[in-house]
């Protein structure tokens, strides 16, 4: 395609939202008009399904749940006055709480102010707050935030060591819908123990963000925690950034949550329009469908050209892959849908994996995220008329051109600057795109059976560990792995027993293994 034709195509497929200063360019995806026309019936169905979802239809049939994250940024859309009031009240509650923490109206027993936050969560209860903190937290926030987002003992120790002299002024957010998810529960128990070790009453520092009536809610109520904020069964973890999950930590860091919600609401309004060319989420879904032939045949590489958006690709990884990675469609057919997502940032990655993107396996499409504003204030010229921001812009344009010349397709999303409003808009844009794409390929975007299967499998292993310890403690003589498995009633799971015992031995948990560790059948095991 010559430069003149490409320029015409760019103008034809450039979307601009004046209120948000937002641009979307899908001209470097090589679909034609016939492709768009063929998809029109699927989009008509997607637009209708989305309208029903927003009215409160059961959009997650496997779990018989409504899907209402769009109501969070426009409570008037909620299907009942009670839900509208709940959403409005929770936002007011967040703002009042944050204000009191900032001014010292709520403070710890041994300090005039809270100085830090430990936020404990997993999945969407961590990735959303982490992305928002990285993108929007001021250089000197009223409270500095630290995340425990795994059950890795070393990771937990690192946070607690860093804060060992500041625990008495550190607020703890425990974010878990059910209160029974192992990772946040484990993090809470370890942090609670650290507070007890300094003779601090954990309840004076603890805030629960959870479903009313959950295990965590009951615990927070019974122990008289500092505060409890509600989560809703109609908001999934990966779409919870505009709920208490994302708004509580954001407000405590001094981030303008009203602006985030307003930006998301504006984008929601734009992505509700039932016309592909006037709807940026529909345009993105079209591009995704084209890139992967409606089957996820190509990976999505996300490259934000702004350091503060470093975690955006990681955030999108969960949103897209957990929503779209499904074995079965809504009719029960085996389809193995999904789009793999990875990325870091530009121009760093031009010195890393862009080499393969340009010349290697063409198994991807790329999304550039462009930010027009370079910095606060003027930039110095590094060469006559050229700033560091000009270089960044040049690298983005150069990569886009070089990739297209080698038949590598790309999308470019452009925002005026990184602020609460534009971050809210980006979150809303991708929320809606995932919903539309799911409709195009006829899957349920709002459940996660694979995640649940992994949790159940882990529970089986921990139950087996308890049985194995009981066997070892009841037997005095060393035993082979096969003997242990037989006595534990797990003869078909010797491998798992070996891995359990190896882990316990490495952590000095009383397990003694004798023999060649590389030849498990040679081992005998006893409790030391």
């Amino acid at each position: 395609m010559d430069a003149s034709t490409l320029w015409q195509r760019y103008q034809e497929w450039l979307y601009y939202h004046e209120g948000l200063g937002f641009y979307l360019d899908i001209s470097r995806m090589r679909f034609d008009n016939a492709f768009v026309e063929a998809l029109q019936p699927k989009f008509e169905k997607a637009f209708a399904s989305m309208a029903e979802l927003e009215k409160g239809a059961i959009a997650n049939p496997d779990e018989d749940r409504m899907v209402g994250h769009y109501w969070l940024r426009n409570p008037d859309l909620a299907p009942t006055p009670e839900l509208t009031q709940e959403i409005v009240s929770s936002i007011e509650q967040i703002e009042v709480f944050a204000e009191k923490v900032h001014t010292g109206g709520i403070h710890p027993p041994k300090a005039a102010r809270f100085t830090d936050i430990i936020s404990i969560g997993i999945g969407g209860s961590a990735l959303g707050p982490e992305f928002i903190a990285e993108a929007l937290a001021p250089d000197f926030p009223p409270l500095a935030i630290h995340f425990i987002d795994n059950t890795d003992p070393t990771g937990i120790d690192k946070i607690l060591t860093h804060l060992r002299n500041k625990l008495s002024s550190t607020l703890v957010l425990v974010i878990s819908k059910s209160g029974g998810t192992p990772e946040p529960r484990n993090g809470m128990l370890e942090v609670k123990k650290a507070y007890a070790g300094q003779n601090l009453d954990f309840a004076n520092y603890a805030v629960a963000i959870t479903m009313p009536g959950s295990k965590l809610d009951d615990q927070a109520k019974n122990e008289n925690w500092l505060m409890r904020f509600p989560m809703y069964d109609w908001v999934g973890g990966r779409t919870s950034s505009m709920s208490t999950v994302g708004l509580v930590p954001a407000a405590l860091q001094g981030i303008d949550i009203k602006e985030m919600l307003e930006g998301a609401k504006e984008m929601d309004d734009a992505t509700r329009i039932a016309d592909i060319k006037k709807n940026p989420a529909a345009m993105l879904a079209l591009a995704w469908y084209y890139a992967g032939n409606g089957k996820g045949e190509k990976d999505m590489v996300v490259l934000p050209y702004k350091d503060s958006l470093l975690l955006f690709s990681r955030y999108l990884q969960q949103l897209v892959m957990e929503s779209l990675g499904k074995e079965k469609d809504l009719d029960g057919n085996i389809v193995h849908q999904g789009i793999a997502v990875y990325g870091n940032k530009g121009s760093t990655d031009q010195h890393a994996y862009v080499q393969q993107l340009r010349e290697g396996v063409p198994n991807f499409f790329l999304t550039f995220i462009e930010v027009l504003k370079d910095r606060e204030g003027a930039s110095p010229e590094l060469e006559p008329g050229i700033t560091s921001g000009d270089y960044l812009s040049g690298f983005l344009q150069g990569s886009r051109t070089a990739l297209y010349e080698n038949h590598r397709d790309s999308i470019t999303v452009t925002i005026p600057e990184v602020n609460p409003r534009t971050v809210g808009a980006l979150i809303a844009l991708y929320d809606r795109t995932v919903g539309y794409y799911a409709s195009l390929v006829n899957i349920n975007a709002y459940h996660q059976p694979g995640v649940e299967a992994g949790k159940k499998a882990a529970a089986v292993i921990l139950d087996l560990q308890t049985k194995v310890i009981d066997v070892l403690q009841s037997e005095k003589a060393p035993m082979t792995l096969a003997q242990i498995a037989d006595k534990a009633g797990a003869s078909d799971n010797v491998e798992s027993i070996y891995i359990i015992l190896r882990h316990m031995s490495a952590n000095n948990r009383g397990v003694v293994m004798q023999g060649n560790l590389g030849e498990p059948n040679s081992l005998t095991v006893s409790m030391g």
Side-chain angles (χ1 to χ4, degrees):
M1 197 177 289
D2 64 37
S4 176
T5 307
L6 202 53
W7 169 234
Q8 291 304 317
R9 180 173 172 81
Y10 175 79
Q11 293 180 81
E12 180 186 359
W13 283 102
L14 179 67
Y15 172 88
Y16 177 61
H17 188 289
E18 185 175 3
L20 289 166
F22 168 90
Y23 300 81
L24 173 64
D25 163 34
I26 61 170
S27 67
R28 267 38 174 195
M29 306 295 291
R30 288 176 168 82
F31 58 84
D32 57 22
N33 289 336
F35 174 81
V36 179
E37 288 168 17
L39 269 189
Q40 191 63 43
K42 285 182 182 287
F43 268 106
E44 287 170 9
K45 182 184 175 188
F47 291 138
S49 297
M50 186 62 74
E52 289 303 307
L53 177 150
E54 286 202 311
K55 289 175 187 172
I58 298 298
N60 182 356
D62 292 28
E63 299 174 4
D64 195 33
R65 287 181 183 174
M66 299 184 294
V67 173
H69 49 273
Y70 299 109
W71 311 331
L72 296 168
R73 42 260 199 170
N74 189 349
D76 291 338
L77 292 177
T80 69
E82 291 76 19
L83 277 181
T84 297
Q85 187 53 46
E86 268 190 72
I87 297 165
V88 171
S89 295
S90 73
I91 294 168
E92 290 172 353
Q93 190 182 29
I94 291 165
E95 291 185 317
V96 169
F97 179 72
E99 174 68 17
K100 285 182 177 178
V101 169
H102 293 161
T103 58
I106 294 175
H107 63 88
K110 298 183 178 182
R113 294 274 200 285
F114 282 106
T115 59
D116 292 78
I117 305 164
I118 296 175
S119 182
I120 303 171
I122 192 75
S125 295
L127 290 166
E130 285 172 0
F131 163 55
I132 291 167
E134 181 77 17
L136 297 175
D139 292 337
F140 301 100
L143 284 85
I145 196 162
H146 315 267
F147 293 97
I148 292 177
D149 61 359
N150 201 355
T151 188
D152 173 15
T154 307
I156 294 169
D157 285 349
K158 186 174 183 179
I159 297 295
L160 292 175
T161 300
H162 181 74
L163 292 172
R164 66 186 180 277
N165 297 324
K166 295 206 286 185
L167 279 190
S168 62
S169 63
T170 297
L171 190 68
V172 182
L173 308 179
V174 184
I175 309 174
S176 175
K177 183 178 268 191
S178 68
T181 305
E183 294 94 337
R185 184 206 61 195
N186 295 355
M188 178 196 69
L189 292 173
E190 291 233 12
V191 171
K192 193 174 183 181
K193 187 175 180 181
Y195 275 72
Q198 293 193 15
N199 294 315
L200 301 171
D201 182 354
F202 182 69
N204 292 324
Y205 303 83
V207 174
I209 302 173
T210 187
M211 284 266 293
S214 72
K215 291 178 186 176
L216 178 59
D217 191 49
D218 289 344
Q219 179 181 355
K221 199 185 306 179
N222 294 335
E223 295 179 3
N224 198 28
W225 285 19
L226 196 59
M227 195 68 183
R228 292 160 28 237
F229 290 99
M231 293 172 75
Y232 311 107
D233 69 347
W234 38 266
V235 177
R238 56 193 174 275
T239 55
S240 65
S241 295
M242 299 290 165
S243 74
T244 51
V245 168
L247 298 182
V248 172
L252 288 168
Q253 292 170 86
I255 295 166
D256 190 336
I257 62 172
K258 283 278 180 68
E259 279 293 294
M260 276 178 61
L261 291 165
E262 187 55 39
K265 180 179 180 291
E266 272 199 79
M267 184 58 79
D268 284 340
D269 291 343
T271 57
R272 218 172 263 127
I273 296 168
D275 181 332
I276 296 172
K277 278 195 170 183
K278 295 178 181 176
N279 181 328
M283 290 172 66
L284 272 182
L286 170 80
W288 292 5
Y289 193 97
Y290 170 76
N293 197 25
K295 298 173 184 174
E297 291 172 359
K298 290 192 175 181
D299 301 342
M300 184 193 309
V301 180
V302 180
L303 264 187
Y305 275 66
K306 206 67 175 174
D307 288 357
S308 60
L309 297 179
L310 169 68
L311 296 182
F312 191 47
S313 59
R314 189 163 165 249
Y315 170 80
L316 289 180
Q317 200 168 55
Q318 184 198 13
L319 175 66
V320 174
M321 295 178 73
E322 194 167 84
S323 298
L324 303 182
K326 302 295 160 66
E327 180 181 37
K328 295 179 180 179
D329 67 12
L330 287 168
D331 299 320
N333 302 310
I334 302 290
V335 290
H336 295 298
Q337 275 289 355
I339 301 175
V341 180
Y342 65 93
N344 182 27
K345 67 178 182 181
S347 65
T348 301
D349 289 335
Q350 290 179 214
H351 300 269
Y353 56 70
V354 170
Q355 166 63 32
Q356 176 169 312
L357 301 185
R358 174 69 167 78
E359 298 184 4
V361 186
N363 61 343
F364 70 93
F365 65 101
L366 204 141
T367 300
F368 293 102
I369 310 288
E370 177 186 24
V371 179
L372 295 177
K373 185 174 181 177
D374 289 338
R375 57 156 48 106
E376 292 296 333
S379 289
E381 291 186 2
L382 309 181
E383 299 162 24
I386 304 294
T387 68
S388 54
D390 296 335
Y391 267 103
L392 192 65
S393 179
F395 287 141
L396 187 157
Q397 292 185 59
S399 292
R400 175 173 171 269
T401 300
L403 288 165
Y404 187 77
E405 286 172 349
N406 229 25
H407 299 279
R408 269 71 168 165
D409 287 353
S410 69
I411 296 161
T412 303
V413 171
T414 302
I415 58 175
E417 61 183 299
V418 178
N419 62 29
R421 201 152 159 269
T422 56
V423 167
L426 283 176
I427 289 169
L429 172 68
Y430 280 89
D431 278 351
R432 186 86 67 174
T433 303
V434 161
Y436 283 144
Y437 184 89
S439 180
L440 296 181
V441 300
N442 194 38
I443 59 167
N444 179 357
Y446 307 108
H447 69 161
Q448 50 283 332
V451 176
E452 301 307 320
K455 290 179 184 176
K456 289 174 184 174
V460 169
I461 293 295
L462 294 170
D463 181 60
L464 177 59
Q465 178 170 313
T466 301
K467 290 176 181 175
V468 166
I469 293 169
D470 288 344
V471 167
L472 287 172
Q473 287 177 337
S474 66
E475 297 288 332
K476 301 304 178 189
M479 305 168 69
T480 65
L481 292 171
Q483 288 170 331
I484 296 168
D486 183 56
K487 287 187 177 291
S491 297
D492 58 346
N493 211 354
V494 181
E495 181 179 312
S496 290
I497 291 172
Y498 166 64
I499 294 170
I500 287 168
L501 291 170
R502 184 179 65 184
H503 175 249
M504 293 186 70
S505 176
N507 285 280
N508 300 313
R509 304 270 293 282
V511 171
V512 178
M513 305 179 81
Q514 294 179 309
N516 185 340
L517 292 172
E519 295 179 9
N521 277 336
S522 74
L523 296 172
T524 58
V525 185
S526 61
M527 293 295 286

